[in-house]
Structures are given as C-alpha cells and as structure tokens.
C-alpha cells in the first residue's frame, strides 16, 4: 500500500549563505539566556550565579535579512537582541568543549526579537517564555558564513542600531559562556543535529523598536541582519 501525506509536507526553512546561491536548512533554533554580564545585570540578574540556560524558537520563526515584516501582534514593547548565531554542521551528544568547533558549519549575525512585555508577564507568573520569544518572524538571521572563512568568532565587535542610532555595542569576547562551552552544555541536554542554530545571547542595551523602524545587527566579519517593521 502506498502511503501519502494527508497534507502537503512543509518545506524546510532555509537561509542564504553569504556570497553563494547555496541555502542552509534550519532544523531547530536554540537560544542562550543572559550570556553577557552587563545584559544580565540590566535585566535584574546576577551574571555570576548560574550556568547557561536555553530556550527555543520554532525553525520557521527564522527569516533572512532584508525583509519588511508586519509589526508583531500582542506587544507594546518589542525589543531587539543582537546575537552571534552558530550554525551546526555536524551533530552529536556530549560534545566536549575542545571538540566543539568541529561541529560548527558557520556563523551569522542575528536578532532575537522579544516581546518584552509578554516575557515580563511570563516571569512574574512563572509561566513559559514561548510566546515572548518564539513568535512568527522572531529570529532575524543574516547570511551564513562558513567557519573556514570566519575562524572561531571568539572576539569581534557586535552592534545593534535602530534607524541608524546606536543601541547595543559589545564584543563577542565578553560572552560569559563562549561558543565552545555553549555547545558542550547544550549537547548534554539534547543531541545536536546538522541544521541546528544557536543564538548565543545579547550584550547590554536592549530596547524597543517601533513600527516603521529598521533594526540592524552587525558583527565584525559577518553580513548584517536587518529587518524593517511595517
Ligand atoms: Mn537573546
């Protein structure tokens, strides 16, 4: 008996590779919370107190750079979060930090868009963050660059501007948990797979974006991740 899908199977979410017509197929999106000390403090937390923690976004929350999108619903306080995005090329579990770079396909600049008001409500009521973090179009991802061209991206300027005005400014070397440690921790919680993306946390200076504005995340050596809100 031939089996067939009862609905059209969804096509994978794919992101462009810089300088190429190739596409990177997205499997899952993991995000690290509070990975820069100054941002942890601005959100009222002690950056020295805890190991890295993770939340997720659906794969189809990822959108490429350069789009104009509807302003997200159900929020009066949409925030930008400039982040280094790690793209996994080789899966694995229990990866040790010294081996982590072998599992990386490449890197991108990203914006972990956050409905901060819904997140604050979730924190206050001890409910999940999903609707604050995992909404449609909530992961703006710039073109991916292969690690063979970028190197390990352990330092370099990371900035966010809104309509050209500086909002966030930091350096990748300020991450509390560097990329290799994040992969080691995360691969003990889940088995990583090719196509997984990891958004590695944001420096201080998060703030609101209004309808009509353009937000750009830039990381030295990578293509920018830009989004405009209708
Ligand atoms: Mn974030």
């Amino acid at each position: 008996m031939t089996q067939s899908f009862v609905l059209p199977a969804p096509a994978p979410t794919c992101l462009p590779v810089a300088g190429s017509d190739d596409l990177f197929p997205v499997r899952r999106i993991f995000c690290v919370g509070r990975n820069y000390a100054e941002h942890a403090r601005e959100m009222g937390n002690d950056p020295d107190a805890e190991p890295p923690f993770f939340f997720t976004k659906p794969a189809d929350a990822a959108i490429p750079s350069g789009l104009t999108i509807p302003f997200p619903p159900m929020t009066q306080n949409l925030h930008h979060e400039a982040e280094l995005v790690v793209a996994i090329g080789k899966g694995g579990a229990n990866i040790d930090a010294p081996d982590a770079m072998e599992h990386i396909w490449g890197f991108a600049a990203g914006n972990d868009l956050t409905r901060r008001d819904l997140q604050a409500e979730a924190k206050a009521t001890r409910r999940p963050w999903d609707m604050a973090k995992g909404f449609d179009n909530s992961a703006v991802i710039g073109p991916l660059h292969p690690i063979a061209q970028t190197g390990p991206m352990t330092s370099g300027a990371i900035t966010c501007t809104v309509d050209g005005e500086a909002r966030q400014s930091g350096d990748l070397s300020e991450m509390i948990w560097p990329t290799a440690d994040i992969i080691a921790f995360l691969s003990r919680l889940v088995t990583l797979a090719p196509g997984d993306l990891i958004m590695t946390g944001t420096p201080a200076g998060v703030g609101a974006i209004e309808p009509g504005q353009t937000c750009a995340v830039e990381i030295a050596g990578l293509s920018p991740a830009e989004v405009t809100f209708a």
Side-chain angles (χ1 to χ4, degrees), residues 184-218:
F185 270 102
L186 183 57
S187 70
R188 280 164 176 76
L189 291 164
V190 295
T191 301
L192 290 175
D196 288 339
L197 298 179
I198 307 171
M199 304 189 79
T200 57
T202 197
V206 299
I209 314 169
E210 304 292 338
Q213 291 188 316
T214 295
C215 186
V217 173
E218 294 193 58

Side-chain angles (χ1 to χ4, degrees), residues 31-34 39 55 81-83 112 114 133 199-202:
C31 307
V32 183
R34 294 171 205 146
H39 173 62
F55 57 92
E81 295 193 354
E83 312 207 356
D112 167 17
T114 302
K133 288 290 195 177
M199 304 189 79
T200 57
T202 197

Side-chain angles (χ1 to χ4, degrees), residues 119-199:
Q119 188 193 32
E121 185 183 349
K123 286 177 179 176
T125 53
R126 313 189 90 180
R127 288 175 181 164
W129 287 10
D130 299 48
M131 292 302 107
K133 288 290 195 177
F135 52 96
D136 297 343
N137 304 326
S138 59
V140 185
I141 312 287
L144 281 90
H145 293 249
I147 190 171
Q149 292 172 15
T150 64
M153 298 295 296
T154 48
S155 65
I158 175 169
T159 63
C160 179
T161 59
V162 175
D163 284 351
E165 172 195 321
R167 291 287 188 87
Q168 293 182 268
S169 181
D171 195 282
L172 300 177
S173 62
E174 297 162 0
M175 289 200 287
I176 296 170
W177 302 100
T179 296
D181 288 349
I182 291 168
I183 289 172
F185 270 102
L186 183 57
S187 70
R188 280 164 176 76
L189 291 164
V190 295
T191 301
L192 290 175
D196 288 339
L197 298 179
I198 307 171
M199 304 189 79

